[in-house]
Amino acid sequence: MTLKVNKILHIEKSLYQDVLVFESETFGNVLVLDGAIQCTERDEFSYQEMIAHIPLASHPNPKKVLVIGGGDGGVVREVLKHDTVEEVVLCDIDEAVPRVSKQYLPHMASLLSDPRVTVFIGDGFKFLADNTATYDAIITDSSDPVGPAAALFEKPYFQLMHDALAPGGHISTQGECLWLHLPLIKELRTMTRTLFPVAEYGFTTIPTYPSGQIGFVLCSKEAGRDLRTPLRTVPNTRYYNSEVHKAAFVLPEFGRALLEEGRDLLPKFGRQALAIKNQSESKPTKKVLLLGSGFVARPCAEYIVREPSNELTIACRTLESAKALGEGLPSTTALSLDVLDTTALEAAVAAHDLVISLIPYTFHAAVISAAIKGKTHVVTTSYVSPAMRELDAAAKAAGIIVLNEIGLDPGIDHLYAVKTIDEVHAKGGKVKQFLSYCGGLPAPECANNPLGYKFSWSSRGVLLALLNSASFLSSSKTLSVPGSELMSYAKPYYISPAFAFVAYPNRDSTPYSQWYNIPEAETVVRGTLRYQGFPQFIGALVKLGWLDQTEKSWLVNSLSWAQVMQKAVGATDAEESTLVASVKQLCAFPDESEATRIISGLRWIGLFSQTEKVVPRAGNLLDTLCARLETLMKYEEGERDLVMLQHKFVVEWADGTEQTLTSTLEAYGSPKGHSAMALTVGLPAGIATQLVLDGVLSTPGVQAPYTKEICDPIREVLEREGLGLVEKVL
């Protein structure tokens, strides 16, 4: 349910929670605690009346009543409608709730000043323990069982309430929603019947609570007490009456059957339905080992355990990392594993049907060797290295699939390159130019630093990749670019008017003429996208020596950043003016505007600071700079990333005409969920894993998705997951 906010009336952070009051257009003033609606002027009465009147109207003579929580005063207001009540104590741990309610919800809180009412600010657990055998009724107006409030739904709390009741006393507690929390309600019913001779569940309706329904756990210390029948009428109510009291215990059949008979009548869907289907078909269990706990691993793990027949083991060097990655996932266990321990690696791999290797690519050959020995399939997201390719014959002999390059880039890019190229060839066309660029970037609104970039993975890996040499095919000629000059090859690249991208080649694109089966192509280039201004900034850092990996004996923590900069550029002193002059000389900026932009960025990094001391890492400039940038250029809470991938095919058709086709993915991360990079790398790996387990992908050997037989099944599932590329003719 959504409410239109007219204006914010009050906001504060108390000692215990965030407190918000706003005026809504249709429900009056609304009290919100920690982001959850507690009450509104329009519908609060249904909850307050039912949680109070059911236990009190069914009690023969309630005189002393304790309310725990409910600092808004609504329950107290209803309790005082019973003329038998002589004393009410309200115990709330947060003084802010009654204070704020008196100002903004006076129709609820005004009776907190009644002479029969005592307001106690403090811990309800301690209050109960200090007041045994005292109250005729205890009403707990609690929030949902999340965080500290979870204790209010556990047996020790109910025991305290039991002990604080006078003989024949009643309790009423917020008991959650039948639609959302039926298993919890069943547990509460079972537990309370071990403490009380009478334990029931009743409910009310209220629009602004989840699913429009909320229930109450109602218990009596008196054996044989009928909580379902009121003993007297209650005046001045809007929702409650004697018939509604009785009807509160008439549950829908799915609720009654589970609570009374233990029969689960709810529809089975999703993973649960799959589990039932698998059981009926005797589908065998598959064991999957996931190596690594990096940020792309979670979407992959989530996809694997969607299939109930899969059992997932997450293995990391530290057990804590493995447990953290698998938290909340069904059929998942954690394992501490050092991949450098060959014996342990081989044992772990051999105990599984498939291993997903998301650890650094340098370890993949060792993992594949272990998999060959254990006859275990392998999936990785990495490029096939020469060391991995050498294991192809052994993998075939072992009958295992070693599927690689199935992330984003490489991965999703292959799926759509192969698709379009096959379609063009099937229609008699030729691909004359193939250009493919991909970038993982901050979303435009988050690109708020001089480089227009933020780190979602190893900063060292990002910077070192900028020093890789590149080769590509241009106008039927092979061009090679040394890593030291790579940034100077970056050129503006148009995808849409909304973005100012630049693109530069990445690695060696020339083999893709063969791998993609486009020998006719005159231009073949695969590259990287960045925002405008990034290559020039990185180029300046290269010229200034900041990407130097060699150890510097002089790099010590007694130096300021300016002094390190002085030594890096060979300046005569560490004054900013001297350093700036040296920067201009070394970088040879094309104009003063560019000089100002990049020098301002260097100042933002702190490279001219006279006072801040450097913290060396690994004794070299590259790693020391990485440590600095990891702090300055990390994603902050609430920020999101962007993945942009585009293929461009210049096609010559059989009749001599030309067309330009594009396939584009524009994906944004969720600040409260997965980053776009994590999803677009991890999900394809998970999909490929399931297809291998299901036997859809079955050709043994060291493979990459360069064929229709591999690409089509993965792409079809990927599109059902909403990660397909948009194809257009320009």
Side-chain angles (χ1 to χ4, degrees), residues 359-436:
I359 54 180
Y361 76 94
T362 51
F363 297 109
H364 289 335
V367 172
I368 296 169
S369 295
I372 290 168
K373 188 173 181 179
K375 299 188 184 303
T376 301
H377 301 301
V378 182
V379 170
T380 85
T381 59
S382 300
Y383 286 103
V384 178
S385 68
M388 295 160 67
R389 202 175 297 280
E390 287 176 5
L391 296 169
D392 179 51
K396 289 177 178 174
I400 67 167
I401 303 163
V402 182
L403 182 56
N404 309 281
E405 303 189 20
I406 190 58
L408 167 64
D409 173 15
I412 295 177
D413 56 345
H414 294 328
L415 306 182
Y416 282 85
V418 169
K419 174 182 183 290
T420 300
I421 289 166
D422 282 354
E423 289 172 349
V424 168
H425 286 168
K427 295 176 182 177
K430 297 179 180 180
V431 176
K432 304 300 288 182
Q433 297 182 44
F434 172 73
L435 300 94
S436 177

Side-chain angles (χ1 to χ4, degrees), residues 479-521:
L479 300 182
S480 297
V481 183
S484 59
E485 299 176 17
L486 183 64
M487 292 299 96
S488 65
Y489 272 75
K491 299 291 187 292
Y493 192 80
Y494 178 85
I495 290 180
S496 100
F499 299 96
F501 289 130
V502 292
Y504 52 88
N506 179 32
R507 298 176 180 257
D508 186 1
S509 301
T510 57
Y512 287 89
S513 295
Q514 174 188 346
W515 292 340
Y516 284 170
N517 190 28
I518 45 173
E520 73 273 19

Side-chain angles (χ1 to χ4, degrees), residues 59 89 140 206 236 254 360 378 395 407 416 438 461 468 473 506 554 650 697 703 717:
H59 190 289
V89 176
T140 301
I206 177 167
N236 304 317
F254 73 88
V378 182
Y416 282 85
C438 183
N468 289 335
L473 199 63
N506 179 32
W554 51 262
V650 178
L697 304 178
Q703 309 269 1
V717 179

Side-chain angles (χ1 to χ4, degrees), residues 586-601:
L586 288 170
C587 294
F589 298 115
D591 52 52
E592 191 60 31
S593 174
E594 185 70 348
T596 299
R597 181 181 75 85
I598 291 179
I599 289 168
S600 296

Side-chain angles (χ1 to χ4, degrees), residues 287-301:
K287 295 183 177 181
V288 179
L289 175 65
L290 192 158
L291 300 178
S293 61
F295 77 103
V296 304
R298 179 73 185 199
C300 180

Side-chain angles (χ1 to χ4, degrees), residues 468-680:
N468 289 335
S469 59
S471 299
F472 57 97
L473 199 63
S474 178
S475 300
S476 300
K477 296 179 181 179
T478 298
L479 300 182
S480 297
V481 183
S484 59
E485 299 176 17
L486 183 64
M487 292 299 96
S488 65
Y489 272 75
K491 299 291 187 292
Y493 192 80
Y494 178 85
I495 290 180
S496 100
F499 299 96
F501 289 130
V502 292
Y504 52 88
N506 179 32
R507 298 176 180 257
D508 186 1
S509 301
T510 57
Y512 287 89
S513 295
Q514 174 188 346
W515 292 340
Y516 284 170
N517 190 28
I518 45 173
E520 73 273 19
E522 299 165 357
T523 296
V524 177
V525 58
R526 299 171 78 251
T528 301
L529 294 172
R530 291 290 181 261
Y531 288 130
Q532 178 181 321
F534 176 89
Q536 293 81 2
F537 203 107
I538 294 297
L541 291 174
V542 171
K543 291 175 183 177
L544 298 174
W546 279 101
L547 269 61
D548 185 354
Q549 302 177 67
T550 59
E551 190 170 344
K552 310 294 183 187
S553 60
W554 51 262
L555 185 58
V556 293
N557 56 16
S558 61
L559 298 177
S560 68
W561 282 96
Q563 289 171 320
V564 174
M565 185 70 153
Q566 175 195 352
K567 291 181 177 292
V569 302
T572 56
D573 60 61
E575 294 298 319
E576 181 169 324
S577 58
T578 306
L579 296 177
V580 168
S582 296
V583 169
K584 288 184 175 180
Q585 181 180 1
L586 288 170
C587 294
F589 298 115
D591 52 52
E592 191 60 31
S593 174
E594 185 70 348
T596 299
R597 181 181 75 85
I598 291 179
I599 289 168
S600 296
L602 299 175
R603 187 178 293 112
W604 175 81
I605 294 173
L607 300 184
F608 301 142
S609 174
Q610 305 282 344
T611 56
E612 188 174 356
K613 300 297 182 183
V614 73
V615 180
R617 178 192 283 181
N620 66 66
L621 291 174
L622 170 66
D623 287 288
T624 300
L625 177 65
C626 286
R628 180 76 169 174
L629 296 182
E630 284 166 5
T631 300
L632 291 173
M633 296 170 59
K634 66 179 185 296
Y635 281 92
E636 301 293 346
E637 185 176 354
E639 292 188 330
R640 61 180 185 155
D641 68 330
L642 160 70
V643 162
M644 181 68 78
L645 165 64
Q646 187 183 74
H647 294 323
K648 188 176 289 182
F649 310 84
V650 178
V651 176
E652 181 183 284
W653 297 108
D655 61 2
T657 60
E658 279 196 356
Q659 278 186 324
T660 299
L661 315 179
T662 61
S663 302
T664 308
L665 173 67
E666 181 180 339
Y668 291 89
S670 168
K672 294 183 179 179
H674 296 307
S675 68
M677 183 61 70
L679 192 64
T680 54

